[in-house]
Amino acid sequence: MSHESRGDIAPSVEETAADIASMEIRGAATIADAAAAALAEQATFSTAETPEAFRVELEAAARELYETRPTAVSLPNALRYVLRGMGGETVDQRRRSIIRRAETFRRDLEQAQETLGRVGANRLRDGDTVMTHCHSTDALACVEAAVSDGKHIEAIVKETRPRQQGHITASDLRELGVPVTLVVDNAARRYLDDTDHVLVGADSIAADGSVINKIGTSGLAVNARERGVPMMVAAQSIKLHPDTMTGHTVEIEMRDEREVLEDGSYSEITGDDSRGDDGFIVENPAFDVTPPRHVDAIVTEHGQYPPESIVMLMRDLFGETTSDPWE
Amino acid sequence: MSHESRGDIAPSVEETAADIASMEIRGAATIADAAAAALAEQATFSTAETPEAFRVELEAAARELYETRPTAVSLPNALRYVLRGMGGETVDQRRRSIIRRAETFRRDLEQAQETLGRVGANRLRDGDTVMTHCHSTDALACVEAAVSDGKHIEAIVKETRPRQQGHITASDLRELGVPVTLVVDNAARRYLDDTDHVLVGADSIAADGSVINKIGTSGLAVNARERGVPMMVAAQSIKLHPDTMTGHTVEIEMRDEREVLEDGSYSEITGDDSRGDDGFIVENPAFDVTPPRHVDAIVTEHGQYPPESIVMLMRDLFGETTSDPWE
Amino acid sequence: MSHESRGDIAPSVEETAADIASMEIRGAATIADAAAAALAEQATFSTAETPEAFRVELEAAARELYETRPTAVSLPNALRYVLRGMGGETVDQRRRSIIRRAETFRRDLEQAQETLGRVGANRLRDGDTVMTHCHSTDALACVEAAVSDGKHIEAIVKETRPRQQGHITASDLRELGVPVTLVVDNAARRYLDDTDHVLVGADSIAADGSVINKIGTSGLAVNARERGVPMMVAAQSIKLHPDTMTGHTVEIEMRDEREVLEDGSYSEITGDDSRGDDGFIVENPAFDVTPPRHVDAIVTEHGQYPPESIVMLMRDLFGETTSDPWE
Amino acid sequence: MSHESRGDIAPSVEETAADIASMEIRGAATIADAAAAALAEQATFSTAETPEAFRVELEAAARELYETRPTAVSLPNALRYVLRGMGGETVDQRRRSIIRRAETFRRDLEQAQETLGRVGANRLRDGDTVMTHCHSTDALACVEAAVSDGKHIEAIVKETRPRQQGHITASDLRELGVPVTLVVDNAARRYLDDTDHVLVGADSIAADGSVINKIGTSGLAVNARERGVPMMVAAQSIKLHPDTMTGHTVEIEMRDEREVLEDGSYSEITGDDSRGDDGFIVENPAFDVTPPRHVDAIVTEHGQYPPESIVMLMRDLFGETTSDPWE
Amino acid sequence: MSHESRGDIAPSVEETAADIASMEIRGAATIADAAAAALAEQATFSTAETPEAFRVELEAAARELYETRPTAVSLPNALRYVLRGMGGETVDQRRRSIIRRAETFRRDLEQAQETLGRVGANRLRDGDTVMTHCHSTDALACVEAAVSDGKHIEAIVKETRPRQQGHITASDLRELGVPVTLVVDNAARRYLDDTDHVLVGADSIAADGSVINKIGTSGLAVNARERGVPMMVAAQSIKLHPDTMTGHTVEIEMRDEREVLEDGSYSEITGDDSRGDDGFIVENPAFDVTPPRHVDAIVTEHGQYPPESIVMLMRDLFGETTSDPWE
Amino acid sequence: MSHESRGDIAPSVEETAADIASMEIRGAATIADAAAAALAEQATFSTAETPEAFRVELEAAARELYETRPTAVSLPNALRYVLRGMGGETVDQRRRSIIRRAETFRRDLEQAQETLGRVGANRLRDGDTVMTHCHSTDALACVEAAVSDGKHIEAIVKETRPRQQGHITASDLRELGVPVTLVVDNAARRYLDDTDHVLVGADSIAADGSVINKIGTSGLAVNARERGVPMMVAAQSIKLHPDTMTGHTVEIEMRDEREVLEDGSYSEITGDDSRGDDGFIVENPAFDVTPPRHVDAIVTEHGQYPPESIVMLMRDLFGETTSDPWE
């Protein structure tokens, strides 16, 4: 099948794989959407002559897509979700089932953040104060939905060193009309007394209910539990980390020390700008892991879940991981 | 009694009071030392003719000194300690007792940090790693004594936003030859797994065993307990807060928001430098309060104490607070 | 279709809706049973000519029933359960599927308390002592089943202010031959040392595993955990609160202050019956919320569940809530 | 020595002993005051001719007083405090020392509640809300002092079954101008979210730091810790239980079941007034024991103490208990 | 159908039942495998003439097998799993479905430990130290898989009184090339500071997430939580205890006191070998129960699960237990 | 001064030092008694001509005694206690004061265990069950005193691997008529449900309130707290570890691996007696450290103390450690 014959409707698997690999396509949702579209495209123009050949072709396509970014959480989730929908006993039935499944996935994905936001908003009551850490559009969607329901919400925003994404969060919340108090991360425990909910997003969520998120989340969660403040994590289901179902741990990225030292404060404070080879080491891990016992609810577009049962949602949506065509 | 007649040996109570008031004399130890010296000076040159007149005169001197800086923790401690030593039934006996008591206080004070350092060092074993928060010479004295005992000590240094005093701590530790890893405050919980002791100083210590220290200490202490890492506070006994014996709470200073925003990161990150009257609020408390149940030991120059018994040391050294001449 | 033609077999949707609205039909199980019966009735006499028209008609009936008492937990559960069973591609197939599903629901409902009682009884061992709070026929069913298995069970019954339903529980248990010790609510912690299980019912159960029950349950649960006594909640699955799947919190009813003051004790004790406008406020919340970490097991007619996984049973039985015809 | 010769200044030991035994003298402070006065009276009119004879006479007096009410906590404290002050090497010196010591004790006792109130008030900040349990004049003294300092204090008052002393507390607080919200005991945990301090008195305090107080205190303390609300106990030092220094446990009184059933609610609710021999048992313990780890501060007229160090105040004031003349 | 006619391919239900009863077939996996095979055999040679007769025959076979060892956890799991696969509307369809289902079960079972081992290995990182209790081939499979992935794993092995199975574990680990440190059970808490994972097997796992395992497991788990060390339980899904779904508790076997006293240490230490009728009692329970809140993950051949959601895997695999043919 | 001239009344400092060094004098109480006696002997026969010379001589004697066994906890305590009693301004006054002080110390020491036993017994109520770990005569003294008060006490005795001193405890308790149940250490948590007090002795007690005792104590204490069972430590005051006041940690002795392997169980169980160079390591620490927050009371002959205030008793009895003549 030549590329031209497809009428330029959608990029092929090859094109999509290339774009993911080159980072032209990036961001969890965008990658997931493109991967599902590519599988639908493959199904649409498949020339397989037997149902089994069709399956083999689709699985090969999935494998090709998967291998472009094996660490992207949303990619295998999209692929698994679509392939699991393959049904029927003829090529045509299978083709139609794949196309329909991909459409469902993409439509759900498009609405996921808004749906999730409405779920999260339902946990917030008029007059509540939330404390945020880092910047998460999923978390912000919850506040936005609450505000649009007419609830008055206030926010205590941790600046979130080293990259101070709290400033972005503060700015976004201000645009929603939410009164914001910005505090340094060290001040979090003190302000937990004025907080009704800790509200964070997630980089990914593991099958054991652990939440992988921006460094500092786990320490905040321990203090929230000690102070009796509930901790809520907003995360679309594409953030559910497939490899963790088989026990894999999530590798924590170590980032550049310049993020920590960038503001030149060292030499200003110490009057010493000779820091060199004999100086101290800077370690700058990007994320940490919050165990499920310190989290009260994970809010997804499929409703809220205690972290201990999120593995069942992972299985419902994406199946067991041992049957992956790329394994 | 004229000033001249004293032979310029030491400043009078009036001079000392003026210097404390003008902040020429500042720092907990310096204030305490000067106050004790001034009482000794008053006793030396007293012209009181009866023992009772002598007592009245000394108490008036104490009151005058106290009122220059009623919030300085070390000042009433010094005054109480010296006055409690007044003994004997003649003016001369009382004079001598006051002078001797002041000498004891000043000599102990001079050696306090070194003595305390040796006590703290005894808690550290060869090969241990300490985690520090903020900058405290009392805490550093513990590490220094351990290093001079030939122990290999490593340090994980929290940068300690907003004023990044961790950089000073890192620099001081490096000079002691201690390998230093600098981390942002948010990374503390992750590095607690590699930590044998959390080691901090104190701004002051309350009679209920609470530790008032740089903002962020209490959140660190909660995480240290949760991780099973012992928490040790190094503080000379002049840091024991006298007013708290009678239930007074310690007022927490709110500092300028520019400490939080000084590095201009806001506009750089958000591309918005319009933050003005309608922007968010910054709250910047200087200290927080760590309850005694999250502290394992308070290290003083009189040995180590569980925080729950520090009130008895306060009483032993400084007496009950209700008999103060200034009350 | 006229009402007469149905041969008076069962009330129509309209009649059932009216009876629920007028509280002639009330109680969680009775409402659920009537709603399922009404849907079956609607299906039986439907004159829809297409499968789609049949669906539209049934969904309209469900919506009509739902709107009579939107806060009754069991009503939407019954409607969802029955509608989810609609299958087949002809009107007749769909009709039959709905009728069969409604029958299953009603039969299960009838046996639910007894089944649940047997499950709960299996947790109780011969010689165990249970502590009860408030009055719950689900909880009593567990004790009854244990007793009928020949186990000797004793009970410590909290009187359960303000309405003292503990007296009803005590009376019911006495009829089962269970030795009862009645204590005031304040004495609960002391008697936890003699208790093998805390056993309570539930007003409703949230998707995050929280248990909404008579005020005082959550404080008892905290003490039970601190004392190492397991906490078991007996609740039929119709108590699973559907709205909480989408994050909705449960509104806690505030009841009349006369429930608190009804026994005239105020004036008797204080010799003052002038309490009037300038007097104190009485707050009398009916329920509280026990978080899942303080509950050991939720006992339902589908077996026992840790509270953290009850959301999966909710989904299995009633589906996701976002597809409700009334939304 | 005849009674007449004492000029009717004060009752003799015999008279005081008789009055304590007959309950004419009762209440912890009144008993303590009378016992100290009686010892002073004995010292004043002693005809002992040797210092040793004087000691023997005073100890015999103490023993006689002690044996009238061996379970009254304040009685042995008063006796020990006075006898410990015996000094000097002549009868006259000893006489004077005892009289002076008794005066000190009585004067301190008279001022104790007010002093204690000021200490406790210092822990309360303007705008704070306290939660009370039962009725305690020591606890009320703290609120009164805070209010007279111009602080706005609000109160959540637990009714405190079975005897509803919360109504007296509510009434007293209302007279101080404190806004009061009355709740049933079961509602305590819910209202802890609105509470800044739990504030209770004590029946007595044990050497291991445990607080013996009205039944329900310990369950409240567990919940306060879980919610992060500090727990403060107001108790004059005469409440420190001397026997507990030697490990004795405090016997908990079981009170009449009619306190629980007095309001006739049983028959009203169950429609059954046949409760008789075959009915249930009511257990009605008067007090419970709160372990020190659930208490944040004990407020006394000698300042505030962590519960774990109160034993040292006991020793300072009353000495070791093994040298009691009555043992 | 005569036995001969089956061509000796596999034992009949009768033979299998006899062999299980006589303990010739024993061990959880062996029993489960044999039971599934026997059902397949029954299906293969069934002479039932109607689908309903076929079902009745198979259920009778299951009942016969079940009753040989009703306390063996894996036996009802195998029977339920196979029977749940019965499908189709003809005898032949049903026959084929049963045979296929039995094959699936047996194939999965054969691979379960290896699959589980790979899941568990994924939780272990290069350089980790595990602490083991008792001897479990499931737990060892995790270490073996990690080692074969090239990870360096070390082990602290508790000797595990009374039967010292730790020695077997130590020996097995040594064969895998894992450096082993053997400690007495009392030393466990001390060595938790050097431990990255506690890793144990399970005798069975209850529906409430509790882990029934060798005595000592629960005490270790409490200490692991207190020290912040994650606790991982390796258990094939046939260990999921079916009766616990309906609330049944697991009976804990009491073993012979000679296991405790076997090494003659009593008389050696005390110099007294007269222990007889008047001597002390020895209690020797074989297992204990670890509640789910002290367990971090259960590793099965279907992936890892928080203990609180394991009940959903039980339902997925084995269905609800109330429909068992033997009940 | 020749030895003969002393009339053989008591051994000289030299003789005592030699006997301590050669272990002829051993055991905490015996060493302490001998050291106090030796100081009295030195004072008795001192030929010092000035008070200062007397002091120098006594301090030299103390130093000589101390250096024989610097790790024996009771030795410096005895020396400090006696030397602190030196008073007066003449040689003779000082001599008499030392002799009297030594007598007091020795008399108190002789009665300490019995006094302590009575204190501990007061914590035990009729019908209580204690759980013991290892063997401690101080702990047994508490049970003995309770039994002699007519209380019925039962005991659960942990065998206490590796040296099984629980057998000695069981034997001793049996002689007291106490019913004993012996369990392996692993069974402790299960039997905590039947336990009213955990009762152990101490090897030594640190100034931060930590209890150093036989390995296994700390793990038991964590479980006792989790189960709500109070933990009581019986220890004479000579066990208070002086060096820990200045922060010194207590070195934990590692004992021979043969204590762990002595019963030959390894080869019996594994059928392998080739354990040799390539075998596993055995680590056998003698003691562990229980932090004060897991201990409820320390019972001494001076009464009971929360562990957090034991440092004040150390100071009262033995003074600050920085003034030691041997430092």
Side-chain angles (χ1 to χ4, degrees), chain B residues 118-119 122-123 125 225 296-297 302-306 308-309 312-313 316, chain F residues 207-209 244-249 293 307-309 311-312 315 320 322:
Chain B
R118 272 188 278 119
V119 173
N122 289 336
R123 286 182 68 92
R125 286 177 305 179
R225 173 67 77 241
D296 289 86
H302 293 281
Q304 65 170 335
Y305 292 82
E308 291 87 353
S309 62
M312 301 313 296
L313 180 65
D316 281 0
Chain F
D208 63 2
T244 59
M245 292 178 72
T246 45
H248 285 281
T249 51
R293 67 183 175 279
E308 292 87 353
S309 62
V311 65
M312 301 313 295
R315 286 171 62 97
E320 292 200 12
T322 49

Short mmCIF file of all heavy atoms in Angstrom, two decimals, chain B residues 118-119 122-123 125 225 296-297 302-306 308-309 312-313 316, chain F residues 207-209 244-249 293 307-309 311-312 315 320 322:
data_model
loop_
_atom_site.label_atom_id
_atom_site.label_comp_id
_atom_site.label_asym_id
_atom_site.label_seq_id
_atom_site.Cartn_x
_atom_site.Cartn_y
_atom_site.Cartn_z
N ARG B 118 31.41 18.86 71.80
CA ARG B 118 31.93 17.55 72.17
C ARG B 118 30.81 16.59 72.53
O ARG B 118 30.85 15.40 72.21
CB ARG B 118 32.93 17.68 73.31
CG ARG B 118 34.35 17.95 72.76
CD ARG B 118 35.41 17.89 73.84
NE ARG B 118 35.46 19.16 74.57
CZ ARG B 118 35.23 19.31 75.87
NH1 ARG B 118 34.94 18.26 76.61
NH2 ARG B 118 35.29 20.50 76.43
N VAL B 119 29.78 17.10 73.21
CA VAL B 119 28.64 16.25 73.53
C VAL B 119 27.98 15.74 72.24
O VAL B 119 27.73 14.54 72.07
CB VAL B 119 27.60 17.02 74.39
CG1 VAL B 119 26.33 16.19 74.57
CG2 VAL B 119 28.20 17.38 75.75
N ASN B 122 29.87 13.10 70.33
CA ASN B 122 29.79 11.74 70.88
C ASN B 122 28.61 10.95 70.32
O ASN B 122 28.62 9.72 70.34
CB ASN B 122 29.69 11.81 72.41
CG ASN B 122 31.00 12.25 73.03
OD1 ASN B 122 32.06 12.09 72.45
ND2 ASN B 122 30.92 12.85 74.22
N ARG B 123 27.60 11.65 69.86
CA ARG B 123 26.46 10.95 69.24
C ARG B 123 26.79 10.49 67.81
O ARG B 123 26.07 9.65 67.27
CB ARG B 123 25.22 11.86 69.20
CG ARG B 123 24.56 12.04 70.55
CD ARG B 123 23.32 12.90 70.45
NE ARG B 123 22.23 12.27 69.73
CZ ARG B 123 21.26 11.54 70.28
NH1 ARG B 123 21.23 11.38 71.59
NH2 ARG B 123 20.31 11.01 69.55
N ARG B 125 28.92 8.66 64.93
CA ARG B 125 29.91 7.59 64.80
C ARG B 125 30.71 7.76 63.51
O ARG B 125 30.25 8.40 62.56
CB ARG B 125 29.20 6.24 64.81
CG ARG B 125 28.71 5.86 66.20
CD ARG B 125 27.95 4.57 66.18
NE ARG B 125 26.86 4.65 65.19
CZ ARG B 125 26.02 3.65 64.93
NH1 ARG B 125 26.15 2.51 65.56
NH2 ARG B 125 25.06 3.81 64.04
N ARG B 225 11.19 11.34 61.58
CA ARG B 225 10.53 10.33 62.43
C ARG B 225 9.93 9.22 61.57
O ARG B 225 10.07 8.05 61.85
CB ARG B 225 9.44 10.99 63.30
CG ARG B 225 8.59 10.06 64.10
CD ARG B 225 9.35 9.31 65.22
NE ARG B 225 9.60 10.13 66.38
CZ ARG B 225 10.82 10.43 66.84
NH1 ARG B 225 11.89 9.95 66.25
NH2 ARG B 225 10.97 11.17 67.92
N ASP B 296 14.66 13.85 69.05
CA ASP B 296 15.22 12.77 69.87
C ASP B 296 16.12 13.28 70.98
O ASP B 296 16.13 12.69 72.06
CB ASP B 296 15.98 11.79 68.96
CG ASP B 296 15.01 10.99 68.12
OD1 ASP B 296 14.62 11.47 67.05
OD2 ASP B 296 14.60 9.92 68.58
N ALA B 297 16.89 14.31 70.72
CA ALA B 297 17.79 14.79 71.78
C ALA B 297 18.11 16.25 71.54
O ALA B 297 18.28 16.69 70.40
CB ALA B 297 19.07 13.97 71.82
N HIS B 302 25.46 21.39 78.90
CA HIS B 302 25.26 20.62 80.12
C HIS B 302 24.92 19.17 79.82
O HIS B 302 24.38 18.47 80.68
CB HIS B 302 24.14 21.25 80.97
CG HIS B 302 24.51 22.59 81.50
ND1 HIS B 302 25.32 22.78 82.60
CD2 HIS B 302 24.22 23.85 81.05
CE1 HIS B 302 25.50 24.07 82.82
NE2 HIS B 302 24.84 24.74 81.90
N GLY B 303 25.19 18.71 78.63
CA GLY B 303 24.89 17.34 78.26
C GLY B 303 23.67 17.29 77.36
O GLY B 303 23.12 18.32 76.96
N GLN B 304 23.25 16.06 77.04
CA GLN B 304 22.10 15.91 76.16
C GLN B 304 20.84 15.64 76.97
O GLN B 304 20.90 15.02 78.03
CB GLN B 304 22.34 14.77 75.17
CG GLN B 304 22.43 13.40 75.81
CD GLN B 304 22.41 12.28 74.78
OE1 GLN B 304 21.89 12.46 73.68
NE2 GLN B 304 22.97 11.15 75.13
N TYR B 305 19.71 16.06 76.46
CA TYR B 305 18.43 15.92 77.15
C TYR B 305 17.35 15.51 76.16
O TYR B 305 17.31 16.02 75.04
CB TYR B 305 18.00 17.24 77.79
CG TYR B 305 18.87 17.66 78.92
CD1 TYR B 305 20.06 18.32 78.68
CD2 TYR B 305 18.53 17.37 80.23
CE1 TYR B 305 20.90 18.68 79.72
CE2 TYR B 305 19.36 17.73 81.27
CZ TYR B 305 20.54 18.38 81.01
OH TYR B 305 21.36 18.72 82.04
N PRO B 306 16.45 14.64 76.58
CA PRO B 306 15.22 14.50 75.79
C PRO B 306 14.47 15.83 75.87
O PRO B 306 14.52 16.51 76.92
CB PRO B 306 14.43 13.41 76.53
CG PRO B 306 15.42 12.71 77.40
CD PRO B 306 16.47 13.73 77.74
N GLU B 308 11.59 16.57 76.41
CA GLU B 308 10.56 16.63 77.45
C GLU B 308 11.14 16.98 78.82
O GLU B 308 10.38 17.31 79.74
CB GLU B 308 9.81 15.30 77.54
CG GLU B 308 8.94 14.98 76.34
CD GLU B 308 9.72 14.28 75.24
OE1 GLU B 308 10.97 14.15 75.37
OE2 GLU B 308 9.10 13.83 74.26
N SER B 309 12.45 16.87 79.01
CA SER B 309 12.97 17.20 80.34
C SER B 309 13.77 18.50 80.33
O SER B 309 14.33 18.88 81.35
CB SER B 309 13.82 16.05 80.88
OG SER B 309 14.92 15.81 80.05
N MET B 312 13.34 21.09 83.08
CA MET B 312 14.00 20.95 84.38
C MET B 312 15.38 21.59 84.36
O MET B 312 15.82 22.15 85.36
CB MET B 312 14.09 19.46 84.76
CG MET B 312 12.74 18.74 84.86
SD MET B 312 11.43 19.59 85.79
CE MET B 312 12.14 19.61 87.45
N LEU B 313 16.06 21.52 83.23
CA LEU B 313 17.34 22.22 83.13
C LEU B 313 17.12 23.73 83.19
O LEU B 313 17.89 24.46 83.84
CB LEU B 313 18.05 21.84 81.82
CG LEU B 313 19.40 22.51 81.60
CD1 LEU B 313 20.43 22.07 82.65
CD2 LEU B 313 19.94 22.23 80.19
N ASP B 316 16.68 24.52 86.77
CA ASP B 316 17.93 24.40 87.51
C ASP B 316 18.83 25.62 87.26
O ASP B 316 19.44 26.14 88.20
CB ASP B 316 18.70 23.14 87.07
CG ASP B 316 18.14 21.88 87.70
OD1 ASP B 316 17.16 21.97 88.46
OD2 ASP B 316 18.68 20.80 87.42
N ALA F 207 21.05 8.58 78.81
CA ALA F 207 20.53 9.88 79.23
C ALA F 207 19.41 10.38 78.34
O ALA F 207 18.59 11.21 78.74
CB ALA F 207 21.66 10.91 79.24
N ASP F 208 19.35 9.89 77.11
CA ASP F 208 18.23 10.30 76.25
C ASP F 208 17.01 9.41 76.47
O ASP F 208 16.04 9.51 75.72
CB ASP F 208 18.66 10.36 74.78
CG ASP F 208 19.07 9.00 74.23
OD1 ASP F 208 18.99 8.01 74.96
OD2 ASP F 208 19.47 8.94 73.05
N GLY F 209 17.07 8.54 77.49
CA GLY F 209 15.94 7.69 77.83
C GLY F 209 15.91 6.38 77.07
O GLY F 209 15.00 5.57 77.26
N THR F 244 26.57 8.53 78.71
CA THR F 244 25.58 8.97 77.74
C THR F 244 25.09 10.38 78.03
O THR F 244 24.53 11.04 77.15
CB THR F 244 24.35 8.02 77.73
OG1 THR F 244 23.80 8.01 79.05
CG2 THR F 244 24.76 6.62 77.33
N MET F 245 25.31 10.86 79.25
CA MET F 245 24.94 12.25 79.53
C MET F 245 25.72 13.20 78.63
O MET F 245 25.24 14.27 78.28
CB MET F 245 25.20 12.60 80.99
CG MET F 245 24.25 11.85 81.94
SD MET F 245 24.58 12.19 83.66
CE MET F 245 24.00 13.89 83.80
N THR F 246 26.90 12.83 78.29
CA THR F 246 27.68 13.66 77.37
C THR F 246 27.62 13.12 75.94
O THR F 246 28.54 13.31 75.15
CB THR F 246 29.15 13.73 77.84
OG1 THR F 246 29.59 12.42 78.22
CG2 THR F 246 29.27 14.67 79.02
N GLY F 247 26.54 12.46 75.62
CA GLY F 247 26.28 12.12 74.24
C GLY F 247 26.91 10.83 73.76
O GLY F 247 26.62 10.37 72.66
N HIS F 248 27.76 10.23 74.61
CA HIS F 248 28.39 8.98 74.16
C HIS F 248 27.34 7.94 73.85
O HIS F 248 26.34 7.81 74.56
CB HIS F 248 29.33 8.45 75.25
CG HIS F 248 30.60 9.21 75.35
ND1 HIS F 248 31.65 9.04 74.48
CD2 HIS F 248 30.99 10.18 76.22
CE1 HIS F 248 32.63 9.86 74.81
NE2 HIS F 248 32.26 10.57 75.86
N THR F 249 27.55 7.22 72.79
CA THR F 249 26.66 6.12 72.48
C THR F 249 27.24 4.87 73.13
O THR F 249 28.42 4.81 73.46
CB THR F 249 26.53 5.91 70.97
OG1 THR F 249 27.85 5.82 70.41
CG2 THR F 249 25.79 7.06 70.33
N ARG F 293 10.42 6.65 73.27
CA ARG F 293 9.00 6.78 72.93
C ARG F 293 8.30 5.43 72.89
O ARG F 293 7.07 5.38 72.77
CB ARG F 293 8.84 7.51 71.59
CG ARG F 293 9.34 6.76 70.39
CD ARG F 293 9.21 7.59 69.11
NE ARG F 293 9.80 6.91 67.98
CZ ARG F 293 11.09 6.89 67.69
NH1 ARG F 293 11.95 7.53 68.45
NH2 ARG F 293 11.55 6.23 66.65
N PRO F 307 10.77 7.51 80.67
CA PRO F 307 12.18 7.47 80.23
C PRO F 307 12.73 8.86 79.91
O PRO F 307 13.92 9.10 80.08
CB PRO F 307 12.14 6.58 78.99
CG PRO F 307 10.71 6.41 78.64
CD PRO F 307 9.91 6.63 79.86
N GLU F 308 11.86 9.76 79.50
CA GLU F 308 12.33 11.09 79.12
C GLU F 308 12.83 11.91 80.30
O GLU F 308 13.47 12.94 80.10
CB GLU F 308 11.22 11.87 78.40
CG GLU F 308 10.84 11.32 77.05
CD GLU F 308 9.78 10.23 77.13
OE1 GLU F 308 9.43 9.82 78.26
OE2 GLU F 308 9.30 9.79 76.07
N SER F 309 12.51 11.51 81.53
CA SER F 309 13.00 12.31 82.65
C SER F 309 14.06 11.59 83.45
O SER F 309 14.52 12.10 84.46
CB SER F 309 11.82 12.73 83.55
OG SER F 309 11.21 11.61 84.10
N VAL F 311 17.06 11.29 82.87
CA VAL F 311 18.31 12.06 82.90
C VAL F 311 18.36 12.95 84.14
O VAL F 311 19.44 13.21 84.69
CB VAL F 311 18.49 12.90 81.61
CG1 VAL F 311 17.42 13.96 81.50
CG2 VAL F 311 19.87 13.53 81.55
N MET F 312 17.21 13.41 84.61
CA MET F 312 17.22 14.27 85.79
C MET F 312 17.55 13.46 87.04
O MET F 312 18.22 13.96 87.94
CB MET F 312 15.87 14.97 85.94
CG MET F 312 15.46 15.83 84.74
SD MET F 312 16.74 16.96 84.10
CE MET F 312 16.96 18.08 85.51
N ARG F 315 21.27 13.07 87.03
CA ARG F 315 21.94 14.28 87.52
C ARG F 315 21.81 14.40 89.04
O ARG F 315 22.78 14.75 89.72
CB ARG F 315 21.33 15.51 86.86
CG ARG F 315 21.75 15.68 85.42
CD ARG F 315 20.94 16.78 84.74
NE ARG F 315 21.17 18.07 85.36
CZ ARG F 315 22.02 18.98 84.91
NH1 ARG F 315 22.74 18.75 83.83
NH2 ARG F 315 22.16 20.12 85.53
N GLU F 320 26.69 16.15 87.12
CA GLU F 320 27.14 16.23 85.73
C GLU F 320 28.44 15.48 85.59
O GLU F 320 29.22 15.38 86.54
CB GLU F 320 27.32 17.70 85.32
CG GLU F 320 26.00 18.44 85.25
CD GLU F 320 26.09 19.70 84.41
OE1 GLU F 320 27.09 19.87 83.70
OE2 GLU F 320 25.13 20.50 84.45
N THR F 322 31.03 16.11 83.71
CA THR F 322 32.22 16.80 83.19
C THR F 322 33.23 17.07 84.29
O THR F 322 34.37 17.41 84.01
CB THR F 322 31.81 18.13 82.55
OG1 THR F 322 30.95 18.81 83.46
CG2 THR F 322 31.08 17.88 81.25
#
